[in-house]
Amino acid sequence: MALRRILCNSKILTSANFNCGNSRSVQTLSLPDLPYDYGALEPAISGEIMRLHHQKHHQAYVTNYNKALEQLDSAISKADASAVVKLQSTIKFNGGGHINHSIFWKNLAPVNEGGGDPPKGSLSNAIEKQFGSLEVLVQKINSEGAALQGSGWVWLALDKEFKRLLVETTANQDPIVTKGSALLPLLGVDVWEHAYYLQYKNVKPDYLKNIWKVMNWNYATQVYEKECI
Amino acid sequence: MASTQGFSLSALSSNENVAVKIELKPPPYPLDALEPHMSRKTLEFHWGKHHRSYVDNLNKQIVGTELHGKTLEAIIVDTYNKGDLHPSFNNAAQVWNHDFFWESMKPGGGGVPNGELLELIKRDFGSFEEFEKEFKTAAATQFGSGWAWLVYKAQDNKLLVIKTPNAVNPLVLDYYPLLTVDVWEHAYYLDFQNRRPDYLSVFMENLVSWEAVSSRLQLAKKAQAAQN
């Protein structure tokens, strides 16, 4: 930053090469594309839900996160610690929303692209060893999801330190690392009402039963094997 | 043959397993009365399924425990447990919150209050418009599930807007609740999908029962005076 300031002040380089405005440029995020069509997960999750969930909810997290980052940048340059601290909750909420949903879209796949196929290989072995069977793991995730009060997520996570799998919930848009810095998310189930309401209404257990038909265990396996081989 | 009628009745009255149940109260209007601002379909699910589940699940949780037979308000305060929530808190508080929510609305509601309530709103918020802005902002910025409230803080003799997460309500925070809006997604998703701000505008313009809010304020002031 100091070098940029020297170069800008001496006008050696045009502002096209460096951001010579009053603020440094903030690296903002954009909404990732869905790896499949909105209707591709039907009948497990409706196209209407997928479209709203991606274009409205996830987009709002991205937009509001970017807005908060600009405000944070401004607060930092003014050395306004109070403003910086005040922005933490909106950054956690919207940043977390972006992180969580980016994982979620990869956790799902159409049936003809492996959605619903059970895990194989080392992840499958780890599941059997630590939970007994895939069915027991799914049961555990679903009962935690059903019992979650309010909004949040249920995760299958890997503790990178102990190389152990665990099921954990987070509230609102808290990412899994808020439950442990060594935790890596393999698979997340969004249990916010917006994830299922238009299709399943109040019957959350039916959503939890059906989402496994489009679960992309390939992604979870890739993440696991990268860490555990 | 001895009459069994009297025996079974007295046995019934001394049977401590007779349920003193929390009841599901219907809203004070038919389920379609808030159309087109809040659909009948929403009321059918929100009252008929969600609110009903909170009641049924609460009753299952409290039967045979020391909470059985207490008033709903007492159960709420007990299970809030100063923030270290007992498992029944969510159901108990949500039963109460939804009763309070239905009664906060009426067909042909909305607009502006009058009388003492309007004066106090102007005194404590500057104007009705500023109150409305603060209330809608609180409701829009409650991350995740929760509620926004207009409350009366007796210690300061002041009206305040607060927001609470999930099932938390002003009873456990020592305020008198006057008005609420439910911002759990199930409250507005069928009618407004992700558009919570639109839901809040419709609520303020068309649904708020200012009569209910005024009478709650009167009750709160009476209760406070009785304590002093």
Side-chain angles (χ1 to χ4, degrees):
Chain A
M1 189 168 111
L3 176 61
R4 183 191 289 152
R5 198 168 277 147
I6 291 168
L7 290 166
C8 290
N9 287 340
S10 65
K11 298 186 171 48
I12 286 173
L13 294 157
T14 67
S15 59
N17 294 335
F18 283 86
N19 182 355
C20 291
N22 286 328
S23 61
R24 305 162 294 162
S25 64
V26 174
Q27 187 64 34
T28 54
L29 300 176
S30 53
L31 181 69
D33 285 335
L34 229 49
Y36 35 77
D37 290 340
Y38 290 128
L41 304 183
E42 293 195 348
I45 304 178
S46 73
E48 187 188 20
I49 285 182
M50 290 305 294
R51 187 181 53 81
L52 283 166
H53 205 170
H54 182 247
Q55 282 183 3
K56 303 292 182 186
H57 292 275
H58 190 172
Q59 179 64 71
Y61 294 126
V62 170
T63 302
N64 292 331
Y65 175 69
N66 287 338
K67 204 161 71 175
L69 282 191
E70 305 272 9
Q71 292 171 327
L72 180 67
D73 192 56
S74 168
I76 289 172
S77 3
K78 295 188 191 128
D80 185 348
S82 177
V84 167
V85 170
K86 215 167 150 197
L87 284 164
Q88 296 313 297
S89 71
T90 185
I91 287 173
K92 180 170 155 190
F93 179 67
N94 290 297
H98 169 63
I99 290 166
N100 294 339
H101 286 86
S102 299
I103 296 166
F104 189 51
W105 309 136
K106 293 189 239 186
N107 281 152
L108 305 172
V111 166
N112 61 11
E113 287 174 33
D117 291 349
K120 303 180 196 64
S122 58
L123 176 57
S124 174
N125 294 337
I127 288 171
E128 289 227 5
K129 201 158 160 220
Q130 283 164 52
F131 295 96
S133 68
L134 179 64
E135 287 68 39
V136 169
L137 171 62
V138 168
Q139 227 334 90
K140 187 166 166 63
I141 291 174
N142 286 353
S143 74
E144 299 263 353
L148 195 148
Q149 312 279 20
S151 307
W153 292 74
V154 199
W155 302 95
L156 173 65
L158 171 68
D159 183 320
K160 288 185 284 187
E161 210 183 324
F162 298 109
K163 303 286 191 252
R164 277 196 72 77
L165 296 173
L166 40 92
V167 172
E168 189 58 84
T169 59
T170 57
N172 301 327
Q173 291 301 347
D174 294 356
I176 192 64
V177 290
T178 58
K179 283 286 173 93
S181 53
L183 296 182
L184 188 66
L186 301 181
L187 192 158
V189 179
D190 189 347
V191 289
W192 279 64
E193 286 171 329
H194 65 238
Y196 61 88
Y197 206 79
L198 292 180
Q199 185 176 358
Y200 294 97
K201 312 293 190 303
N202 59 301
V203 194
K204 195 187 345 179
D206 281 359
Y207 159 68
L208 292 171
K209 201 172 64 181
N210 284 308
I211 197 171
W212 298 99
K213 297 175 184 168
V214 288
M215 197 57 75
N216 182 16
W217 282 104
N218 284 333
Y219 173 74
T221 303
Q222 276 167 36
V223 177
Y224 180 82
E225 285 180 352
K226 200 164 162 209
E227 204 54 47
C228 289
I229 292 239
Chain B
M1 186 152 104
S3 156
T4 54
Q5 182 84 4
F7 176 80
S8 59
L9 279 175
S10 62
L12 203 62
S13 65
S14 64
N15 181 349
E16 62 189 1
N17 285 327
V18 168
V20 177
K21 281 166 49 163
I22 304 292
E23 297 291 333
L24 175 66
K25 279 164 36 186
Y29 36 74
L31 297 186
D32 63 356
L34 302 181
E35 294 249 8
H37 315 294
M38 185 176 284
S39 67
R40 177 178 53 84
K41 198 168 172 203
T42 290
L43 269 292
E44 280 173 356
F45 281 98
H46 200 177
W47 174 77
K49 305 282 184 184
H50 291 273
H51 194 178
R52 189 185 301 278
S53 281
Y54 292 129
V55 171
D56 292 347
N57 290 334
L58 178 65
N59 282 324
K60 281 186 215 152
Q61 277 175 319
I62 66 175
V63 78
T65 74
E66 57 177 16
L67 296 172
H68 193 190
K70 290 192 170 173
T71 64
L72 184 57
E73 284 83 350
I75 295 172
I76 289 167
V77 172
D78 277 1
T79 57
Y80 181 70
N81 196 24
K82 299 187 185 149
D84 183 15
L85 308 183
H86 187 273
S88 334
F89 173 76
N90 197 73
N91 287 322
Q94 286 292 79
V95 171
W96 189 95
N97 295 340
H98 285 85
D99 285 341
F100 194 79
F101 180 49
W102 309 132
E103 290 160 9
S104 293
M105 295 187 287
K106 66 166 206 182
V112 183
N114 51 26
E116 188 189 3
L117 177 58
L118 182 61
E119 290 318 303
L120 292 182
I121 286 175
K122 284 179 179 170
R123 182 196 70 183
D124 293 339
F125 295 95
S127 67
F128 179 78
E129 287 68 34
E130 281 165 274
F131 152 71
E132 189 179 40
K133 186 161 170 229
E134 196 175 321
F135 185 77
K136 284 165 74 174
T137 299
T141 59
Q142 175 49 41
F143 293 152
S145 309
W147 303 77
W149 308 83
L150 172 64
V151 301
Y152 172 63
K153 187 179 181 188
Q155 301 95 301
D156 301 349
N157 187 28
K158 216 172 124 83
L159 297 182
L160 293 172
V161 163
I162 65 170
K163 58 188 182 188
T164 57
N166 297 340
V168 177
N169 67 28
L171 298 179
V172 304
L173 303 173
D174 222 25
Y175 299 132
Y176 289 98
L178 303 179
L179 171 67
T180 196
V181 66
D182 187 350
V183 292
W184 283 62
E185 285 176 325
H186 63 238
Y188 59 89
Y189 216 83
L190 294 180
D191 294 340
F192 294 93
Q193 294 80 59
N194 59 299
R195 294 170 289 119
R196 194 194 288 189
D198 288 351
Y199 159 65
L200 298 172
S201 294
V202 168
F203 176 80
M204 293 307 298
E205 285 161 30
N206 303 107
L207 293 172
V208 175
S209 167
W210 289 113
E211 289 81 2
V213 180
S214 287
S215 67
R216 288 159 175 173
L217 178 63
Q218 295 316 312
L219 281 172
K221 293 176 94 187
K222 273 202 195 106
Q224 192 56 28
Q227 274 185 41
N228 296 338

